[in-house]
Amino acid sequence: MDMSDHLLSQAFQAFTHPIAIMDSQFTIVYVNQAWSSFSNQYSPPSNVEWIGYNYYQPESTLDYDSGEFKTLVIQGLTKLRNGTLSNFTMEYPSHNDGNAWYEMKIDRFQYNDSTYFIISHQDISQRKSLERENQRLTRTDPLTKIANRRRFDEFLDYEWHHCRRNQHPISLAIVDIDGLKAINDSFGHEIGDNCLREVAQKMKQYTGRASDMCARLGSDEFVALWGNTSRGQSLKLAHNLLNEINTVPISALDGQDAGHLGVSIGLCSIVPTDNDFKAFVTMSDSLMYEAKQSGKNRINVRSR
């Protein structure tokens, strides 16, 4: 081994990321120490002999991985082999630790007129964790800690089409706090914010299924969505919600009795027949405003 080969080998071993070199048929010809440590820690076949291991053969490659993961890897390797891709990158969760994520990257290179591929696995768990947290924050109302309008719109789109496919009813309640501006003006925004949090917590109690969601749309307006829920079922839920909210005291800072919260609710139930749910939301919103005009702290319901 000459000086350049020795230097290259030392540099290769110095990498902290798991790295392997494969020939043109995706048979591993060289691995660094980090690769051996990584495979022993995260891969079930800990006694595998990596030199000579073929990454492409479906019957031998990644037998311990999920079928979907194996399929995606084979598809990527196929495109690398036929020249469709010059490199292939895929992110995947750890097979043993659901909180750990890795990025697999494969690049083509030439050496002595032969084609080789270099494959590496990099731990991206911290980045994925930050991405998940950022995604959660962009879909969560910072004051009440429930879903915001963006998250609600995404969920409504999904649940609407799910109910349409299965011909299930879907119900939507627009909930608006009565007199929140007066509460803020009389007792301050701290009391008003507490009222918003209390309403959010009450709504969470009545939207506990996977097909349900509550969200704050903005200011004093909330929404509750109930998938696969009929008019009668949703009306009962709305009445219970209204009664629960009516028990929430408007507690002033000086302890004086300021009464209890009230809300106006517009409730609409429908079995979807098309892809347009905007009219559904508009109808619920109109029903809520009619409830306010009719005296507040009540439910206005309609189905179609």
Side-chain angles (χ1 to χ4, degrees), residues 57-273:
Q57 297 299 325
E59 65 272 13
S60 63
T61 300
L62 312 170
D63 286 338
Y64 48 88
D65 293 321
S66 68
E68 181 182 9
F69 179 84
K70 182 188 297 185
T71 299
L72 291 173
V73 172
I74 295 299
Q75 289 175 349
L77 294 178
T78 300
K79 292 179 180 179
L80 284 169
R81 187 172 65 176
N82 62 28
T84 305
L85 293 176
S86 59
N87 58 72
F88 171 70
T89 301
M90 187 178 76
E91 297 178 356
Y92 65 94
S94 167
H95 318 301
N96 295 337
D97 180 358
N99 294 319
W101 276 78
Y102 296 92
E103 179 184 72
M104 180 176 68
K105 187 174 183 181
I106 307 175
D107 290 282
R108 177 200 303 269
F109 71 97
Q110 298 293 126
Y111 180 72
N112 287 342
D113 298 324
S114 296
T115 298
Y116 290 89
F117 298 93
I118 184 166
I119 177 172
S120 64
H121 295 266
Q122 182 176 356
D123 190 333
I124 58 170
S125 303
Q126 186 175 12
R127 173 169 67 80
K128 295 296 287 188
S129 177
L130 290 173
E131 288 176 356
R132 288 194 297 269
E133 179 62 12
N134 287 336
Q135 186 179 61
R136 185 189 68 80
L137 291 175
T138 60
R139 288 165 171 76
T140 302
D141 177 62
L143 177 64
T144 62
K145 309 305 180 186
I146 63 174
N148 61 11
R149 179 182 287 274
R150 178 179 179 180
R151 177 69 185 101
F152 169 72
D153 287 343
E154 294 171 346
F155 186 80
L156 173 59
D157 180 73
Y158 170 83
E159 195 61 34
W160 176 270
H161 288 91
H162 176 76
C163 288
R164 182 193 175 196
R165 286 192 303 271
N166 295 281
Q167 283 300 284
H168 290 161
I170 185 171
S171 298
L172 179 69
I174 302 289
V175 180
D176 192 271
I177 299 177
D178 295 328
L180 183 63
K181 184 179 184 302
I183 294 172
N184 286 329
D185 292 343
S186 299
F187 306 111
H189 285 273
E190 182 178 348
I191 297 299
D193 288 349
N194 286 339
C195 292
L196 291 167
R197 295 188 189 97
E198 287 287 345
V199 170
Q201 290 305 308
K202 296 298 184 185
M203 294 189 68
K204 284 177 65 175
Q205 296 175 19
Y206 290 92
T207 51
R209 302 176 307 169
S211 57
D212 303 339
M213 174 174 282
C214 66
R216 184 186 178 199
L217 299 185
S219 186
D220 52 1
E221 193 168 85
F222 294 80
V223 62
L225 181 71
W226 295 295
N228 193 19
T229 304
S230 67
R231 179 186 186 277
Q233 293 169 324
S234 62
L235 184 57
K236 182 178 180 180
L237 288 167
H239 273 299
N240 290 339
L241 175 62
L242 178 62
N243 291 334
E244 281 285 334
I245 292 174
N246 286 162
T247 67
V248 177
I250 305 171
S251 302
L253 291 175
D254 59 5
Q256 71 184 82
D257 183 10
H260 293 77
L261 280 180
V263 292
S264 297
I265 300 176
L267 176 63
C268 186
S269 298
I270 188 175
V271 176
T273 58

